Amino acid sequence: MQKIEEKQSQNKLNNIFVAIDVETTGLSPLINELIEISAIKYEGNRKVATFTTLIKPKANIPYKITKITGITNDMVKNAPYIEEIMPSLIKFIGDNIIVAHNANFDYRFLQNYSKNSFSKNKLIDTVAIGRKLYPKLPNHKLGTIAKHIGIKEDNFHRAEFDCECCAKIYMEYIK
């Protein structure tokens, strides 16, 4: 029986998935805007491609968001608008599994700005995985889980770093 379980686990590790994270100007995908997107494609536990960009919002980034993310209006002044990058992001993600921490948040923004292009993608939330794997943690924020599994850096709330942390949590779960 153990060989079957190992084989099933190995098959999961060979799957392609895309870890996603977005940084936004607020909490509502209908009112607020994307200011950074990162998507990292994995084949099993191997990173194979990265899509990361800052995005120029139509309105200024609120000060409280700059305090959280470190992303300033000056940083995005020459960045592309969301309409310019979304076709490339849709192609990059394709029909692969989307993995995100607090996945509904990221997914709602992606769906809103892509005209629901990801409706057929399977969505996996690493918050739920974290709760299953580490039920005794004081909370299941990305930073808390990441530190628990040995990620010592502290660059949270930047999309690419958060993607990598999210992917590591997912891969830990698959093992």
Side-chain angles (χ1 to χ4, degrees), residues 16-151:
I16 296 173
F17 70 93
V18 180
I20 297 280
D21 190 66
V22 300
E23 301 303 334
T24 68
T25 60
L27 300 176
S28 171
L30 301 176
I31 299 168
N32 301 115
E33 298 180 79
L34 292 160
I35 55 174
E36 185 177 38
I37 292 178
S38 190
I40 303 175
K41 191 177 292 183
Y42 289 84
E43 286 184 19
N45 58 4
R46 189 171 56 92
K47 186 190 306 187
V48 295
T50 303
F51 180 104
T52 298
T53 185
L54 289 168
I55 300 162
K56 184 175 183 173
K58 291 170 179 55
N60 281 333
I61 299 170
Y63 176 74
K64 66 180 182 179
I65 298 300
T66 295
K67 290 280 288 178
I68 293 168
T69 64
I71 300 171
T72 66
N73 287 303
D74 196 49
M75 291 169 66
V76 299
K77 71 180 178 188
N78 296 318
Y81 289 104
I82 188 64
E83 297 82 9
E84 297 173 66
I85 64 102
M86 193 50 77
S88 297
L89 181 66
I90 292 167
K91 186 175 179 180
F92 181 86
I93 295 171
D95 60 359
N96 293 301
I97 296 168
I98 296 172
V99 177
H101 201 76
N102 195 15
N104 283 332
F105 177 82
D106 300 77
Y107 184 73
R108 286 183 12 242
F109 272 91
L110 289 175
Q111 284 292 76
N112 184 55
Y113 283 97
S114 72
K115 298 184 175 107
N116 296 316
S117 294
F118 303 107
S119 297
K120 294 183 180 178
N121 295 70
K122 181 177 180 181
L123 185 64
I124 296 174
D125 190 345
T126 56
V127 170
I129 290 171
R131 286 185 179 130
K132 232 178 230 186
L133 288 177
Y134 316 110
K136 294 184 179 177
L137 288 178
N139 63 59
H140 294 90
K141 294 177 182 177
L142 185 61
T144 304
I145 296 171
K147 286 177 182 159
H148 182 75
I149 64 173
I151 298 170

